[in-house]
Amino acid sequence: MSQQEKQRLCVIVNPVSGVSRKRMGEFRRLVGQHLAEQLYETVIHVTRAPGHGRRIAAKALEDGIRIFVVAGGDGTVNEVADVLAGTTARLAIIPAGSGNGLAHHLGIPFRKKDALDLIVQGHTVTIDTCRVNGLFFASIAGIGFDAKVARQFANSHRRGFLTYARIVMKEYLHYKSGKYRLSLDGEEMEKEAFFISFANSNQFGYNTRISPRASITDGLIDVAVVSKPPVKAFPEIARLMYRQEIDRSKYISIYRASDILVWREKGKTVNVDGEAVRMGKKLHITISPASLNVIVPQNIKL
Protein backbone atom coordinates (compact mmCIF):
# COMPACT_ATOMS: atom_id res chain seq x y z
CA MET A 1 0.00 0.00 0.00
CA SER A 2 1.37 3.37 -0.98
CA GLN A 3 1.96 6.29 1.36
CA GLN A 4 -0.96 8.14 -0.25
CA GLU A 5 -3.39 5.31 0.57
CA LYS A 6 -2.65 5.22 4.29
CA GLN A 7 -5.49 6.11 6.61
CA ARG A 8 -4.68 9.04 8.85
CA LEU A 9 -5.50 8.39 12.47
CA CYS A 10 -5.58 10.76 15.45
CA VAL A 11 -5.00 9.23 18.89
CA ILE A 12 -5.97 11.46 21.85
CA VAL A 13 -4.63 10.35 25.23
CA ASN A 14 -5.60 11.68 28.64
CA PRO A 15 -2.48 11.17 30.85
CA VAL A 16 -4.58 11.37 34.03
CA SER A 17 -7.27 8.81 33.27
CA GLY A 18 -5.83 7.20 30.15
CA VAL A 19 -2.13 6.48 29.82
CA SER A 20 0.33 8.00 32.29
CA ARG A 21 3.27 9.91 30.87
CA LYS A 22 5.79 7.38 32.17
CA ARG A 23 3.99 4.63 30.23
CA MET A 24 3.62 6.64 27.03
CA GLY A 25 6.56 4.90 25.38
CA GLU A 26 4.98 1.52 26.03
CA PHE A 27 1.67 2.76 24.67
CA ARG A 28 3.29 4.09 21.49
CA ARG A 29 4.88 0.67 20.89
CA LEU A 30 1.52 -1.01 21.43
CA VAL A 31 -0.13 1.32 18.92
CA GLY A 32 2.65 0.57 16.43
CA GLN A 33 2.20 -3.17 16.87
CA HIS A 34 -1.55 -3.24 16.44
CA LEU A 35 -2.04 -0.44 13.95
CA ALA A 36 0.43 -1.56 11.33
CA GLU A 37 2.49 1.29 9.89
CA GLN A 38 1.68 0.19 6.36
CA LEU A 39 -2.05 0.75 7.06
CA TYR A 40 -2.15 3.87 9.22
CA GLU A 41 -0.40 7.17 9.56
CA THR A 42 -0.80 7.71 13.30
CA VAL A 43 -0.28 10.84 15.37
CA ILE A 44 -0.59 10.65 19.19
CA HIS A 45 -1.67 13.75 21.11
CA VAL A 46 -1.58 14.04 24.92
CA THR A 47 -4.15 16.32 26.55
CA ARG A 48 -2.93 18.96 29.00
CA ALA A 49 -6.17 20.17 30.60
CA PRO A 50 -9.96 19.78 30.45
CA GLY A 51 -11.20 20.90 27.05
CA HIS A 52 -7.89 20.20 25.29
CA GLY A 53 -9.21 16.97 23.75
CA ARG A 54 -12.00 18.93 22.10
CA ARG A 55 -9.53 21.39 20.56
CA ILE A 56 -7.25 18.60 19.32
CA ALA A 57 -10.17 16.78 17.69
CA ALA A 58 -11.51 19.95 16.05
CA LYS A 59 -8.12 20.76 14.49
CA ALA A 60 -7.59 17.16 13.29
CA LEU A 61 -11.09 17.05 11.80
CA GLU A 62 -10.41 20.31 10.00
CA ASP A 63 -7.20 18.75 8.64
CA GLY A 64 -9.18 15.91 7.10
CA ILE A 65 -8.64 13.10 9.62
CA ARG A 66 -11.62 10.79 9.87
CA ILE A 67 -10.57 8.15 12.46
CA PHE A 68 -10.16 9.21 16.07
CA VAL A 69 -9.00 7.06 18.99
CA VAL A 70 -9.57 8.20 22.58
CA ALA A 71 -7.58 6.62 25.42
CA GLY A 72 -9.26 8.01 28.51
CA GLY A 73 -12.47 8.15 30.51
CA ASP A 74 -15.99 9.34 29.85
CA GLY A 75 -14.99 13.02 30.10
CA THR A 76 -12.38 12.80 27.32
CA VAL A 77 -14.68 10.62 25.20
CA ASN A 78 -17.38 13.26 25.65
CA GLU A 79 -15.11 16.08 24.43
CA VAL A 80 -14.07 14.27 21.26
CA ALA A 81 -17.50 12.79 20.52
CA ASP A 82 -19.01 16.29 20.73
CA VAL A 83 -16.74 17.38 17.88
CA LEU A 84 -17.34 14.28 15.74
CA ALA A 85 -21.15 14.09 16.13
CA GLY A 86 -22.87 14.91 12.87
CA THR A 87 -19.78 14.22 10.75
CA THR A 88 -18.56 11.20 8.77
CA ALA A 89 -15.66 10.68 11.20
CA ARG A 90 -15.41 7.52 13.32
CA LEU A 91 -14.62 7.25 17.01
CA ALA A 92 -12.73 4.38 18.65
CA ILE A 93 -12.45 4.09 22.43
CA ILE A 94 -9.68 2.63 24.58
CA PRO A 95 -11.43 2.55 27.98
CA ALA A 96 -9.12 3.88 30.68
CA GLY A 97 -11.17 6.05 33.01
CA SER A 98 -13.14 5.41 36.18
CA GLY A 99 -16.70 4.64 35.06
CA ASN A 100 -16.35 4.05 31.30
CA GLY A 101 -20.13 3.97 30.90
CA LEU A 102 -20.25 4.30 27.11
CA ALA A 103 -17.49 1.72 26.58
CA HIS A 104 -19.31 -0.78 28.83
CA HIS A 105 -22.57 -0.28 26.93
CA LEU A 106 -20.86 -0.74 23.56
CA GLY A 107 -19.04 -3.89 24.69
CA ILE A 108 -15.60 -2.45 24.00
CA PRO A 109 -12.83 -4.61 25.54
CA PHE A 110 -10.77 -3.08 28.33
CA ARG A 111 -7.43 -4.62 27.30
CA LYS A 112 -5.71 -1.95 25.23
CA LYS A 113 -4.48 -4.34 22.57
CA ASP A 114 -7.97 -5.79 22.09
CA ALA A 115 -9.49 -2.32 21.81
CA LEU A 116 -6.85 -1.39 19.23
CA ASP A 117 -7.60 -4.53 17.22
CA LEU A 118 -11.19 -3.33 16.79
CA ILE A 119 -9.89 -0.40 14.75
CA VAL A 120 -8.32 -2.74 12.20
CA GLN A 121 -11.56 -4.75 12.02
CA GLY A 122 -13.37 -1.46 11.45
CA HIS A 123 -16.91 -2.55 12.37
CA THR A 124 -18.87 0.68 12.84
CA VAL A 125 -22.31 1.53 14.20
CA THR A 126 -24.05 4.90 14.25
CA ILE A 127 -25.43 5.82 17.66
CA ASP A 128 -27.66 8.54 19.06
CA THR A 129 -26.27 11.50 21.01
CA CYS A 130 -27.98 13.95 23.35
CA ARG A 131 -27.80 17.46 24.78
CA VAL A 132 -28.94 19.04 28.03
CA ASN A 133 -29.37 22.82 27.72
CA GLY A 134 -27.17 22.57 24.64
CA LEU A 135 -24.37 20.65 26.40
CA PHE A 136 -23.44 17.39 24.69
CA PHE A 137 -23.61 13.95 26.26
CA ALA A 138 -23.23 10.53 24.69
CA SER A 139 -24.05 8.23 27.58
CA ILE A 140 -26.01 9.67 30.51
CA ALA A 141 -27.03 12.84 32.31
CA GLY A 142 -28.64 13.10 35.70
CA ILE A 143 -30.00 15.36 38.43
CA GLY A 144 -30.56 14.98 42.15
CA PHE A 145 -28.47 12.55 44.17
CA ASP A 146 -26.71 11.31 41.02
CA ALA A 147 -25.40 14.81 40.31
CA LYS A 148 -24.44 15.35 43.97
CA VAL A 149 -22.25 12.23 43.86
CA ALA A 150 -20.73 13.32 40.53
CA ARG A 151 -19.73 16.66 42.05
CA GLN A 152 -18.19 15.04 45.15
CA PHE A 153 -16.38 12.49 42.98
CA ALA A 154 -14.99 15.25 40.73
CA ASN A 155 -13.57 16.99 43.81
CA SER A 156 -12.03 13.80 45.22
CA HIS A 157 -8.28 13.23 45.00
CA ARG A 158 -8.83 9.52 44.41
CA ARG A 159 -10.73 7.86 41.59
CA GLY A 160 -12.13 4.37 41.11
CA PHE A 161 -15.17 2.41 42.22
CA LEU A 162 -14.28 2.32 45.92
CA THR A 163 -14.12 6.10 46.07
CA TYR A 164 -17.43 6.34 44.21
CA ALA A 165 -19.09 3.83 46.57
CA ARG A 166 -17.70 5.63 49.63
CA ILE A 167 -19.22 8.92 48.49
CA VAL A 168 -22.59 7.25 47.83
CA MET A 169 -22.70 5.76 51.33
CA LYS A 170 -21.55 8.97 52.99
CA GLU A 171 -24.11 11.20 51.28
CA TYR A 172 -27.06 8.81 51.07
CA LEU A 173 -28.64 9.22 54.51
CA HIS A 174 -28.54 13.03 54.47
CA TYR A 175 -29.71 13.70 50.91
CA LYS A 176 -33.40 14.60 50.56
CA SER A 177 -35.57 13.93 47.54
CA GLY A 178 -36.65 16.86 45.38
CA LYS A 179 -39.81 17.83 43.52
CA TYR A 180 -39.73 17.97 39.73
CA ARG A 181 -42.11 18.84 36.93
CA LEU A 182 -41.44 17.03 33.67
CA SER A 183 -42.70 17.26 30.11
CA LEU A 184 -41.98 14.12 28.09
CA ASP A 185 -42.81 14.72 24.43
CA GLY A 186 -45.53 17.10 25.66
CA GLU A 187 -46.95 14.82 28.37
CA GLU A 188 -46.58 16.58 31.72
CA MET A 189 -46.16 15.00 35.14
CA GLU A 190 -44.99 15.92 38.61
CA LYS A 191 -42.62 13.64 40.50
CA GLU A 192 -40.81 13.51 43.80
CA ALA A 193 -37.48 11.83 43.13
CA PHE A 194 -34.22 10.96 44.80
CA PHE A 195 -32.62 11.36 41.39
CA ILE A 196 -33.57 11.31 37.73
CA SER A 197 -31.32 9.87 35.03
CA PHE A 198 -31.58 10.68 31.32
CA ALA A 199 -30.06 7.54 29.82
CA ASN A 200 -28.90 7.24 26.24
CA SER A 201 -26.78 4.22 27.17
CA ASN A 202 -27.96 1.84 29.86
CA GLN A 203 -25.62 2.75 32.70
CA PHE A 204 -23.73 5.14 34.94
CA GLY A 205 -20.44 3.29 34.54
CA TYR A 206 -18.68 0.54 36.47
CA ASN A 207 -21.12 -1.75 34.59
CA THR A 208 -23.92 -0.42 36.81
CA ARG A 209 -27.08 -0.33 34.70
CA ILE A 210 -29.73 2.20 35.65
CA SER A 211 -31.95 1.38 32.65
CA PRO A 212 -31.03 -2.13 31.47
CA ARG A 213 -33.17 -2.01 28.33
CA ALA A 214 -32.01 1.39 27.11
CA SER A 215 -31.04 1.44 23.45
CA ILE A 216 -28.44 3.80 22.07
CA THR A 217 -29.90 3.51 18.57
CA ASP A 218 -33.66 3.88 19.09
CA GLY A 219 -33.93 7.68 18.94
CA LEU A 220 -35.28 7.83 22.50
CA ILE A 221 -33.91 8.78 25.93
CA ASP A 222 -34.78 6.57 28.90
CA VAL A 223 -35.94 8.77 31.77
CA ALA A 224 -35.35 6.85 35.01
CA VAL A 225 -37.20 8.44 37.95
CA VAL A 226 -35.83 6.94 41.18
CA SER A 227 -37.44 7.16 44.63
CA LYS A 228 -35.26 6.96 47.74
CA PRO A 229 -35.31 3.37 49.00
CA PRO A 230 -34.89 2.49 52.67
CA VAL A 231 -31.61 0.90 53.71
CA LYS A 232 -33.39 -2.42 54.29
CA ALA A 233 -34.17 -2.55 50.55
CA PHE A 234 -30.49 -2.45 49.55
CA PRO A 235 -30.00 -6.26 49.30
CA GLU A 236 -32.95 -6.59 46.92
CA ILE A 237 -31.79 -3.62 44.87
CA ALA A 238 -28.28 -5.10 44.67
CA ARG A 239 -29.76 -8.40 43.50
CA LEU A 240 -31.77 -6.69 40.77
CA MET A 241 -28.72 -4.64 39.73
CA TYR A 242 -26.62 -7.80 39.47
CA ARG A 243 -29.30 -9.51 37.37
CA GLN A 244 -29.72 -6.40 35.18
CA GLU A 245 -33.34 -6.11 36.28
CA ILE A 246 -33.28 -2.90 38.31
CA ASP A 247 -36.18 -1.62 36.20
CA ARG A 248 -38.35 -4.18 38.01
CA SER A 249 -37.83 -2.40 41.33
CA LYS A 250 -40.82 -0.54 42.78
CA TYR A 251 -38.46 2.37 43.48
CA ILE A 252 -37.83 3.14 39.82
CA SER A 253 -40.09 4.19 36.96
CA ILE A 254 -38.76 4.42 33.41
CA TYR A 255 -40.29 6.53 30.65
CA ARG A 256 -39.05 7.11 27.10
CA ALA A 257 -39.10 10.35 25.16
CA SER A 258 -37.17 12.30 22.54
CA ASP A 259 -37.80 15.83 23.84
CA ILE A 260 -37.75 16.43 27.59
CA LEU A 261 -38.28 19.49 29.75
CA VAL A 262 -37.59 19.50 33.49
CA TRP A 263 -38.34 22.19 36.04
CA ARG A 264 -36.70 21.82 39.48
CA GLU A 265 -36.85 23.83 42.68
CA LYS A 266 -33.32 25.20 42.46
CA GLY A 267 -30.53 25.57 39.94
CA LYS A 268 -28.02 22.90 40.88
CA THR A 269 -25.46 20.49 39.51
CA VAL A 270 -26.20 18.23 36.54
CA ASN A 271 -24.19 15.07 35.94
CA VAL A 272 -23.18 15.17 32.25
CA ASP A 273 -21.29 12.02 31.22
CA GLY A 274 -19.76 11.91 34.69
CA GLU A 275 -18.82 15.59 34.82
CA ALA A 276 -20.53 17.89 37.32
CA VAL A 277 -21.95 21.00 35.58
CA ARG A 278 -23.94 23.81 37.20
CA MET A 279 -27.21 24.62 35.42
CA GLY A 280 -30.41 26.54 36.12
CA LYS A 281 -33.86 25.43 37.26
CA LYS A 282 -35.12 24.60 33.76
CA LEU A 283 -33.50 21.82 31.73
CA HIS A 284 -34.13 20.89 28.11
CA ILE A 285 -32.89 17.45 27.06
CA THR A 286 -32.91 16.50 23.37
CA ILE A 287 -31.64 13.64 21.25
CA SER A 288 -29.96 13.56 17.82
CA PRO A 289 -30.66 10.11 16.33
CA ALA A 290 -27.91 8.30 14.42
CA SER A 291 -25.41 11.13 14.80
CA LEU A 292 -22.10 9.53 15.90
CA ASN A 293 -20.08 6.77 14.21
CA VAL A 294 -18.36 4.47 16.70
CA ILE A 295 -16.09 1.47 16.11
CA VAL A 296 -17.40 -1.50 18.13
CA PRO A 297 -17.08 -5.32 18.29
CA GLN A 298 -18.73 -7.12 15.40
CA ASN A 299 -21.04 -9.22 17.57
CA ILE A 300 -22.43 -6.37 19.69
CA LYS A 301 -26.22 -6.04 19.77
CA LEU A 302 -27.44 -2.48 20.32
Side-chain angles (χ1 to χ4, degrees):
M1 187 176 287
S2 70
Q3 180 72 22
Q4 286 72 26
E5 292 174 312
K6 284 186 180 181
Q7 297 186 71
R8 298 167 64 203
L9 191 150
C10 175
V11 181
I12 300 173
V13 180
N14 184 329
V16 177
S17 63
V19 180
S20 65
R21 294 185 185 279
K22 66 180 181 180
R23 292 191 172 181
M24 194 59 64
E26 176 187 339
F27 180 71
R28 290 180 186 277
R29 287 191 295 273
L30 192 66
V31 169
Q33 290 170 4
H34 291 269
L35 303 179
E37 291 183 1
Q38 66 269 28
L39 295 177
Y40 300 98
E41 179 184 331
T42 303
V43 178
I44 298 176
H45 299 271
V46 179
T47 63
R48 296 191 295 269
H52 191 204
R54 180 179 283 104
R55 295 193 296 274
I56 293 170
K59 179 62 167 62
L61 188 69
E62 185 180 311
D63 290 343
I65 294 178
R66 288 298 178 266
I67 304 177
F68 292 76
V69 182
V70 176
D74 289 327
T76 312
V77 171
N78 174 288
E79 290 185 12
V80 177
D82 187 8
V83 174
L84 305 187
T87 76
T88 59
R90 294 186 290 163
L91 171 68
I93 302 171
I94 300 176
S98 296
N100 301 299
L102 184 61
H104 274 297
H105 183 96
L106 296 174
I108 295 171
F110 276 60
R111 293 178 63 187
K112 291 182 176 62
K113 72 179 193 67
D114 294 337
L116 285 166
D117 285 342
L118 291 184
I119 299 167
V120 179
Q121 296 166 17
H123 182 65
T124 304
V125 297
T126 306
I127 67 170
D128 306 332
T129 61
C130 308
R131 292 187 182 273
V132 50
N133 286 4
L135 193 63
F136 177 92
F137 68 96
S139 188
I140 198 164
I143 53 178
F145 184 69
D146 170 23
K148 170 79 169 182
V149 171
R151 187 178 68 186
Q152 296 283 0
F153 189 70
N155 294 332
S156 174
H157 296 297
R158 294 186 177 182
R159 311 298 279 178
F161 179 74
L162 289 179
T163 299
Y164 186 87
R166 193 177 300 116
I167 293 170
V168 168
M169 298 309 296
K170 178 184 176 183
E171 300 292 337
Y172 178 82
L173 292 176
H174 307 290
Y175 193 87
K176 295 182 180 180
S177 297
K179 294 181 180 180
Y180 303 91
R181 182 161 61 96
L182 298 94
S183 172
L184 308 180
D185 288 337
E187 181 178 344
E188 294 201 5
M189 61 184 72
E190 293 186 359
K191 295 289 184 179
E192 182 172 306
F194 190 49
F195 67 86
I196 303 177
S197 291
F198 308 100
N200 188 33
S201 78
N202 60 15
Q203 61 176 275
F204 295 122
Y206 301 109
N207 220 16
T208 304
R209 291 169 171 82
I210 184 62
S211 187
R213 270 147 278 286
S215 168
I216 206 163
T217 59
D218 65 353
L220 296 171
I221 301 167
D222 280 30
V223 183
V225 181
V226 181
S227 301
K228 187 175 184 178
V231 173
K232 66 181 181 181
F234 281 12
E236 174 65 8
I237 291 171
R239 184 183 72 84
L240 291 173
M241 274 285 191
Y242 177 75
R243 296 177 61 176
Q244 301 179 26
E245 296 176 343
I246 191 60
D247 51 335
R248 293 179 55 190
S249 170
K250 65 181 181 181
Y251 300 104
I252 183 170
S253 298
I254 294 177
Y255 309 88
R256 293 185 173 89
S258 60
D259 191 274
I260 302 158
L261 289 168
V262 181
W263 293 266
R264 49 187 182 165
E265 297 170 299
K266 296 180 181 179
K268 291 184 177 180
T269 304
V270 179
N271 174 8
V272 183
D273 275 348
E275 301 297 317
V277 181
R278 187 84 176 183
M279 292 187 183
K281 294 181 182 180
K282 183 179 178 180
L283 305 174
H284 187 199
I285 302 99
T286 57
I287 191 165
S288 297
S291 51
L292 178 66
N293 302 310
V294 188
I295 296 173
V296 299
Q298 292 185 5
N299 60 353
I300 191 69
K301 294 180 180 180
L302 301 174

